[in-house]
């Protein structure tokens, strides 16, 4: 029986090549898109799950409100981890990580440095919490002693080739010597710890030994014992605050924890599961740029939509062609066929078509994978060696075939043989309402994706064109200026002699991704918790304000002719507002230089700079201060056009002369700025790609339906033409039914897309408004696409010679 079903199915597909192609290709597009997005979603959901006991590893997060600032931190105080390990037996092990940024590293005998992007201080317990195998060395001792280092297998090859690196020295930052005590397997790419190729012993870091409960700089992880409920354990943080942090507050502010809370400030610690960090955390001081669970949800829904649209096409075309199969059903029923056997036959056809589509979808997805990886910024691969992958594909093909073919199967098998054979059954009405509903559903999704794409790109354009309050164009950043040692100033002055270089500044702090440091300040004589202000403190030179193009709102920037500027401070308008000063110039504030509160420094406000966006546009502009201090992370040059490549070449030539053996590294500030919004840009590109695919799939179905409608009404068109109907009349007649459905889809899709895009824009503190014309434009585009699709068949039918359709009457 199955063989007979397959033969009939194959004959039916072969005899109706046009409709078979539309069904197979449309379904294949939907399945291929769904497959690619599923690989992306699986990749995103797999982060940090490969570690042993990953379900028992949690990170401590801190939420702080103080001094007019709200902070969500991925870091905790240095004493917190081991204090909790000592006080709470529920904790099996702890580890702290302290980001040390990029560093210059070389072998002791090497003349040239290499650049390491993610150098991290780590406790000796690192390998007890994270199950990363040591290929060489003892995990119990590898990071125990000061000035020891564990490197990745990749770094071992980079620095030592095939030689054994254990016991060999590495020079870090041209100043400190670390001995290699271990070689670890590369950290998995699907981990928020990825790219950490070099772990320095935490005992080498003086800051890690300070009892600074108010300084939050350490990513802190707890490994709980079996059976511990982390949610219940979180209540112990209040005990820690009362026992330890409260003492620090009294010494710092002279206020109790309760008094601080009454003023509206707070400090809270919470636990975040290791597996949630990548998709659910976007806090200050993350070790790496994380993903976004919202985008995973969005892409999963888009995948479902695309597959649904493809299935809708199948159902539409199958029910539309019911008249062609009606007599077949009637004859078979008259000869004794059971309805169940007819259902089985039609479902077999559907599943067969589904597997043809699946085979084509795999080919399409495999060919599109490099483009998709570039689009999504991923390295997704087909898990062709995994049994579950093929099982999932086969199950998907079968389920899609059954679902897509279920309604047509039951619809067609339900015809009464007597009525069918007498041509008295109303075929058009029985399937027409469902077909219309499915067409509306298809274009509702298309309208939503069109609107979403337009809003995302408009927001990205807003980000690119918004006045940020500083220069980001033609700003050349030379990295690792500390490699120049005491020649930084001379390097800066010599580059300024190049004709198209008009300004320069030396600093580690920039309005794009760079160093950040929060400090608490108080007005002199008013050290109360409700008078404090928490703000960024950037160490800059005399030329920072001018080179960066910042505008002064009051007072003046730093000037070399004023020696007192060494104790001067420039704040932004947001800081002045929090301080409550209408005229801040001349006012004095003080803060502390270190986390242990040992070095108190008083500053005089000499100027107020206009607010500029030094963080993402997702955040409001916070309080910021600038102080004069030697900081040689970067040298930033303001260029005024000319031959950029030639200028970079001249800068590199001078660098190699003044810093021999040091790698030359540069970037442009606008590239740094764009990197902040890279995920949004990728979402926009993915959106427009899959919006286009959804429209193509929808149009394939609409094209098939319009072709069938024209075929079914061939004789009617012939009669109308004989009676004087024009081509325009015929095209209008055949198009208006579909146009009505598209208009209904627009009215349904626009409110839904408005709600979704409004939610997305709420993630940005600064964003575009949802203008009415955006929705009108999306609706008009949907109408134009639909009319172009339908009109091809309509015009073809209208131009047909009526004699061909009427000669058999």
């Amino acid at each position: 029986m199955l063989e007979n079903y397959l033969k009939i199915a194959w004959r039916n597909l072969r005899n109706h090549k046009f409709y078979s192609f539309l069904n197979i290709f449309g379904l294949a597009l939907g399945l291929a898109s769904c497959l690619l997005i599923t690989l992306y979603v699986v990749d995103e959901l797999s982060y940090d799950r490969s570690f042993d006991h990953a379900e028992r590893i949690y990170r401590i997060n801190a939420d702080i409100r103080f001094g007019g600032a709200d902070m969500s931190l991925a870091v905790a105080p240095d004493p917190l981890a081991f204090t909790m390990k000592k006080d709470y037996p529920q904790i099996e092990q702890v580890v702290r990580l302290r980001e040390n940024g990029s560093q210059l590293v070389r072998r002791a005998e090497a003349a040239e440095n290499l650049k390491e992007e993610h150098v991290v201080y780590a406790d000796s317990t690192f390998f007890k919490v994270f199950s990363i195998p040591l290929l060489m060395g003892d995990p119990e001792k590898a990071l125990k002693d000061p000035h020891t280092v564990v490197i990745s297998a990749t770094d071992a090859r980079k620095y030592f080739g095939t030689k054994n690196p254990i016991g060999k020295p590495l020079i870090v930052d041209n100043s400190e010597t670390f001995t290699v005590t271990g070689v670890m397997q590369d950290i998995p790419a699907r981990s928020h710890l990825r790219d950490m190729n070099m772990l320095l012993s935490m005992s080498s870091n003086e800051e890690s030994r300070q009892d600074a409960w108010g300084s939050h700089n350490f990513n802190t992880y707890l490994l709980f014992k079996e059976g511990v409920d982390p949610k219940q354990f979180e209540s112990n943080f209040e005990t820690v605050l009362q026992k330890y942090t409260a003492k620090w507050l009294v010494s710092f502010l002279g206020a109790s924890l309760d008094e601080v809370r009454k003023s509206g400030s707070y400090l809270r610690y919470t636990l975040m599961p290791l597996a949630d960090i990548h998709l659910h955390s976007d806090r200050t001081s993350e070790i790496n740029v994380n993903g976004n669970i919202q985008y995973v949800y969005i892409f999963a829904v888009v995948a479902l939509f695309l597959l649904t649209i493809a299935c809708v096409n199948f159902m539409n075309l199958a029910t539309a062609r019911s008249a062609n199969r009606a007599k077949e059903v009637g004859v078979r029923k008259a000869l004794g066929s059971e309805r169940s056997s007819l259902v089985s036959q039609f479902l077999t056809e559907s599943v067969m078509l589904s597997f043809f589509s699946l085979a084509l979808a795999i080919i399409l997805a495999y060919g599109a994978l490099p483009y998709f990886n570039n689009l999504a910024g991923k390295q997704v691969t087909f898990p062709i060696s995994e049994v579950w992958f093929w099982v999932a594909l086969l199950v998907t093909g079968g389920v899609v075939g059954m679902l897509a073919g279920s309604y047509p199967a039951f619809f067609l098998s339900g015809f009464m043989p007597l009525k069918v054979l007498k041509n008295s059954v109303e075929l058009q009405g029985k399937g027409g309402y469902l077909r219309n509903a499915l067409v509306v559903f298809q274009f509702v999704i298309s309208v939503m994706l069109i609107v979403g794409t337009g809003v995302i790109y408009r927001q990205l354009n807003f980000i690119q064109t918004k006045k940020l309050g500083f220069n980001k164009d033609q700003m050349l950043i030379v990295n690792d200026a500390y490699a120049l040692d005491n020649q930084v100033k001379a390097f800066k002055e010599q580059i300024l002699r190049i004709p198209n270089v008009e300004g320069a500044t030396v600093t580690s702090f920039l309005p794009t991704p760079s160093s950040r440091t929060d400090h608490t300040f108080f007005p002199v004589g008013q050290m109360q918790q409700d008078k404090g202000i928490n703000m960024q403190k950037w160490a800059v030179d005399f030329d920072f304000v001018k080179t960066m193009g910042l505008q002064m709102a009051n007072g003046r920037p730093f000037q070399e002719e004023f020696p007192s500027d060494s104790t001067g401070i420039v704040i932004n308008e947001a800081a002045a507002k929090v301080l409550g000063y209408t005229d801040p110039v001349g006012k004095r504030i003080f803060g502390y230089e270190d986390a242990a509160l040992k070095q108190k420094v008083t500053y005089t406000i000499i100027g107020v700079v206009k607010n500029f966006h030094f963080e993402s546009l997702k955040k409001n502009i916070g309080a910021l201060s600038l102080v004069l201090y030697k900081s040689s992370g970067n040298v930033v040059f303001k260029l005024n056009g000319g031959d950029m490549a030639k200028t970079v070449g001249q800068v590199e030539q001078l660098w190699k002369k003044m810093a021999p053996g040091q790698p030359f590294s540069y970037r442009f500030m606008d590239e740094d700025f764009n990197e902040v919004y890279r995920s949004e840009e990728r979402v926009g590109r993915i959106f427009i790609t899959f919006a286009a695919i959804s429209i193509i799939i929808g149009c394939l179905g609409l094209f098939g339906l319009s072709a069938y409608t024209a075929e079914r009404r061939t004789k009617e068109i012939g009669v109308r033409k004989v009676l004087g109907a024009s081509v325009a009349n015929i095209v209008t007649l055949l198009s208006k039914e579909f146009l009505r459905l598209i208009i209904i889809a627009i009215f349904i899709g626009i409110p839904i897309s408005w709600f979704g895009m409004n939610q997305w824009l709420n993630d940005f503190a600064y964003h575009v408004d949802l203008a009415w014309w955006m929705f009108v434009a999306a609706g008009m585009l949907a109408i134009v696409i639909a009319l172009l699709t339908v009109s091809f068949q309509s015009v073809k039918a209208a131009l047909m010679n009526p004699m061909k359709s009427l000669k058999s009457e």
Side-chain angles (χ1 to χ4, degrees):
M1 186 64 73
L2 179 61
E3 182 182 356
N4 184 53
Y5 290 162
L6 291 173
K7 284 182 179 179
I8 295 173
W10 174 251
R11 188 180 300 121
N12 188 54
L13 294 176
R14 189 182 58 192
N15 291 340
H16 301 90
K17 296 183 178 64
F18 175 70
Y19 293 104
S20 297
F21 168 77
L22 290 180
N23 261 334
I24 292 172
F25 186 67
L27 196 54
L29 270 182
L31 284 167
S33 302
C34 189
L35 176 57
L36 289 173
I37 295 175
T38 299
L39 291 174
Y40 170 88
V41 170
V42 169
D43 182 85
E44 286 288 282
L45 293 174
S46 65
Y47 271 69
D48 291 311
R49 297 179 187 273
S50 62
F51 294 120
D52 294 343
H53 317 303
E55 73 283 355
R56 292 195 279 128
I57 303 174
Y58 286 74
R59 187 183 70 190
I60 299 178
N61 291 335
D63 294 292
I64 303 172
R65 173 177 288 175
F66 186 80
D70 288 322
M71 292 174 284
S72 296
L73 307 177
V75 285
D78 59 269
L80 180 60
F82 287 95
T83 297
M84 297 197 74
K85 173 70 165 58
K86 174 176 64 72
D87 290 355
Y88 297 98
Q90 300 99 311
I91 298 174
E92 182 176 318
Q93 196 51 266
V94 297
V95 66
R96 298 169 302 168
L97 302 176
R98 177 67 164 98
E99 178 68 49
N100 200 33
S102 62
Q103 298 290 324
L104 299 178
V105 180
R106 60 181 171 85
R107 299 192 318 274
E109 67 276 14
E112 295 189 4
N113 280 296
L114 298 176
K115 187 172 182 177
E116 286 295 328
E117 294 292 347
H118 292 283
V119 179
V120 176
Y121 286 103
D123 284 312
S124 60
T125 54
F126 180 83
F127 298 103
K128 294 179 180 178
V129 175
F130 298 106
S131 56
I132 299 170
L134 269 190
L135 306 178
M136 297 181 184
D138 183 352
E140 294 287 336
K141 302 176 181 178
L143 291 171
K144 199 165 187 179
D145 297 328
H147 290 92
T148 55
V149 59
V150 171
I151 59 178
S152 67
T154 297
D155 268 10
R157 290 189 296 270
K158 182 166 69 174
Y159 290 100
F160 300 101
T162 57
K163 296 179 180 178
N164 186 346
I166 300 298
K168 300 292 196 305
L170 286 174
I171 311 300
V172 178
D173 196 20
N174 290 318
S175 58
E176 292 185 275
T177 301
F178 287 80
T179 302
V180 178
T181 54
V183 176
M184 64 180 176
Q185 184 175 297
D186 287 359
I187 295 176
R190 293 184 182 91
S191 170
H192 81 289
L193 303 177
R194 64 194 182 278
D195 304 327
M196 283 172 38
N197 288 329
M198 188 166 288
L199 306 179
L200 308 178
S201 57
M202 187 68 78
S203 55
S204 312
N205 186 343
E206 183 181 351
E207 182 188 13
S208 69
R209 298 186 292 276
Q210 294 180 343
D211 193 37
W213 285 90
S215 178
H216 294 68
N217 291 311
F218 293 79
N219 298 98
T220 302
Y221 301 84
L222 309 180
L223 172 62
F224 287 104
K225 293 180 179 178
E226 292 276 3
V228 176
D229 185 346
K231 281 298 176 187
Q232 289 185 357
F233 183 85
E234 278 188 338
S235 61
N236 293 308
F237 284 127
E238 178 62 24
T239 305
V240 173
L241 290 170
Q242 296 288 351
K243 186 175 180 180
Y244 298 102
T245 308
K247 293 180 181 179
W248 175 83
L249 284 171
V250 171
S251 64
F252 178 45
L253 293 175
S256 68
L257 182 61
D258 289 338
E259 288 173 328
V260 170
R261 287 171 171 170
K262 286 178 181 178
S263 69
S265 299
Y266 58 73
L267 168 59
R268 301 171 187 150
Y269 294 124
T270 55
L271 294 171
M272 171 166 275
L274 178 69
D276 285 357
I277 290 174
H278 176 66
L279 289 177
H280 296 270
S281 188
D282 184 24
R283 291 170 169 261
T284 302
S285 300
E286 295 283 355
I287 287 179
N288 248 311
V289 177
N290 289 330
N292 189 326
I293 190 63
Q294 287 188 354
Y295 296 149
V296 172
Y297 291 149
I298 289 171
F299 293 147
V301 170
V302 168
L304 184 62
F305 280 171
L306 287 168
L307 190 56
T308 304
I309 289 174
C311 291
V312 163
N313 272 358
F314 180 90
M315 295 173 71
N316 264 344
L317 291 174
T319 54
R321 294 181 55 247
S322 57
N324 298 339
R325 307 292 300 272
K327 285 198 168 95
E328 174 192 343
V329 171
V331 170
R332 294 190 63 181
K333 276 195 168 187
L335 294 175
S337 290
E338 297 287 338
R339 185 177 185 185
S340 59
S341 65
L342 291 171
V343 169
S344 298
Q345 178 195 323
F346 290 125
L347 286 179
T348 300
E349 289 185 21
S350 174
V351 172
M352 184 177 177
L353 185 146
S354 175
F355 278 109
F356 282 145
S357 299
L358 181 61
L360 180 58
I362 293 172
I363 297 170
L364 291 174
Y366 189 81
L369 190 60
Y371 169 76
F372 180 77
N373 278 332
N374 180 61
L375 197 69
K378 285 279 183 186
Q379 294 181 340
V380 175
T381 57
F382 267 69
I384 54 177
S385 61
E386 300 289 343
V387 175
W388 65 264
F389 175 69
W390 296 107
V391 171
L393 284 178
L394 291 174
V395 170
T396 300
V399 170
V400 167
M402 296 289 283
L403 290 177
S406 58
Y407 180 81
F410 287 101
F411 173 70
L412 292 171
S413 63
F415 291 156
M416 298 298 293
L418 187 60
K419 289 186 176 181
V420 170
L421 295 176
K422 284 186 173 181
N423 288 324
S424 60
V425 66
E426 291 293 333
L427 296 172
Q428 173 63 13
K430 292 186 73 171
Y433 293 119
L434 177 66
R435 282 201 305 280
N436 291 344
L438 293 177
V439 169
V440 169
F441 177 75
Q442 281 184 311
F443 274 87
V444 165
I445 294 173
S446 296
V447 168
M448 289 166 58
L449 290 175
I450 292 170
V451 171
T453 301
V455 172
I456 289 171
Y457 266 83
R458 190 160 177 253
Q459 174 66 13
L460 290 175
N461 183 65
F462 169 79
I463 289 169
Q464 293 291 336
T465 58
K466 178 174 170 54
K467 292 183 179 179
L468 302 170
F470 67 91
N471 294 327
K472 68 178 177 68
D473 298 321
Q474 298 184 341
M475 300 290 284
L476 174 66
I477 304 170
V478 177
N479 305 315
D480 311 314
Y482 53 82
L484 292 161
D485 200 16
N486 58 1
Q487 298 188 86
V488 175
K489 186 175 180 180
F491 175 78
K492 169 186 166 183
E493 290 175 348
Q494 290 198 43
I495 298 299
L496 280 170
R497 296 173 186 168
I498 297 175
N500 65 323
V501 178
E502 62 180 42
T505 182
V506 183
T507 181
S508 295
F509 301 88
L510 298 168
T512 52
S514 64
S515 298
R516 292 288 186 267
T517 174
D518 285 292
H519 286 257
T520 301
F521 292 86
F522 298 89
V524 169
Q526 299 182 51
M527 191 174 176
Q528 295 93 25
Q529 76 273 9
D530 57 343
K531 299 294 184 182
I533 174 174
N534 200 74
M535 60 180 166
Q536 291 279 311
K537 187 174 81 168
W538 293 8
V540 301
D541 64 6
F542 288 103
D543 299 313
F544 183 84
V545 171
K546 179 182 176 182
T547 304
M548 296 304 303
L550 306 182
Q551 301 296 316
M552 299 302 299
N554 196 1
R556 60 175 178 81
F558 299 111
Q559 295 176 355
E560 292 189 69
E561 55 267 32
F562 294 96
S564 61
D565 279 3
S566 59
T567 58
I569 189 169
V570 175
I571 62 175
N572 69 350
E573 293 173 309
K577 183 178 180 180
V578 175
L579 284 166
Y581 294 150
T582 54
D583 185 14
V585 176
K587 300 291 192 304
R588 299 171 71 210
I589 59 177
F590 73 92
Y592 292 89
E593 285 296 297
D594 65 346
L597 310 180
K598 295 178 180 177
Q599 299 181 38
K600 180 178 177 181
V601 181
T602 301
Y603 298 95
T604 302
I605 299 173
I606 64 170
V608 178
V609 70
K610 288 185 178 179
N611 284 338
F612 63 96
H613 292 277
F614 59 90
E615 299 286 5
S616 164
L617 291 179
K618 291 184 176 182
K619 300 178 181 178
N620 287 308
I621 297 174
L624 172 73
S625 63
L626 310 176
V627 296
L628 275 179
Y629 195 78
K630 184 179 179 181
S631 175
S632 54
N634 311 290
V635 187
V636 184
F637 298 103
K638 174 71 175 91
L639 310 182
N640 58 10
D643 189 336
M644 294 286 188
K646 180 180 178 182
T647 302
V648 171
Q650 291 173 303
V651 173
E652 182 178 8
Q653 187 178 7
L654 182 61
W655 174 277
K656 290 180 176 179
K657 179 181 177 182
M658 301 182 72
Q662 310 302 330
F664 176 71
S665 173
Y666 74 95
R667 63 193 195 275
F668 285 94
M669 192 175 291
D670 56 346
E671 295 172 355
D672 270 9
F673 176 80
N674 292 338
E675 192 63 35
V676 175
Y677 307 99
R678 189 69 66 204
S679 62
E680 282 75 21
E681 181 186 342
R682 285 173 180 150
V683 168
R685 293 192 330 217
I686 292 173
F687 238 93
I688 195 169
T689 300
F690 288 114
I693 291 174
S694 78
I695 292 169
I696 290 170
I697 296 173
C699 288
L700 285 174
L702 205 58
F703 187 80
L705 284 178
S706 61
Y708 172 73
T709 300
E711 178 185 318
R712 182 173 56 82
R713 302 176 72 174
T714 299
K715 289 185 172 59
E716 177 191 346
I717 293 169
V719 171
R720 288 178 178 272
K721 291 195 72 174
V722 168
L723 294 176
S726 66
V727 171
N729 295 143
I730 302 298
V731 170
T732 302
L733 174 72
L734 296 176
S735 301
K736 67 180 181 181
E737 179 182 349
F738 293 106
L739 181 60
R740 177 173 56 84
L741 300 177
I742 303 306
I743 291 173
I744 292 172
I746 290 169
F747 277 101
I748 296 173
I750 283 179
I752 299 173
S753 57
W754 177 89
F755 176 78
M757 286 297 97
N758 193 56
Q759 293 296 111
W760 181 74
L761 288 175
N762 283 340
D763 282 346
F764 294 85
Y766 304 89
H767 57 76
V768 296
D769 295 324
L770 289 174
W772 62 268
W773 60 264
M774 298 170 63
F775 299 98
V776 172
M780 293 300 295
L781 180 60
I783 290 173
V784 169
I785 291 170
L787 286 179
L788 287 175
T789 304
V790 173
S791 62
F792 177 83
Q793 290 294 342
S794 301
V795 171
K796 181 180 176 182
L799 293 175
M800 184 182 296
N801 187 341
M803 293 300 296
K804 290 183 179 181
S805 58
L806 297 178
K807 65 182 179 180
S808 60
E809 289 298 310

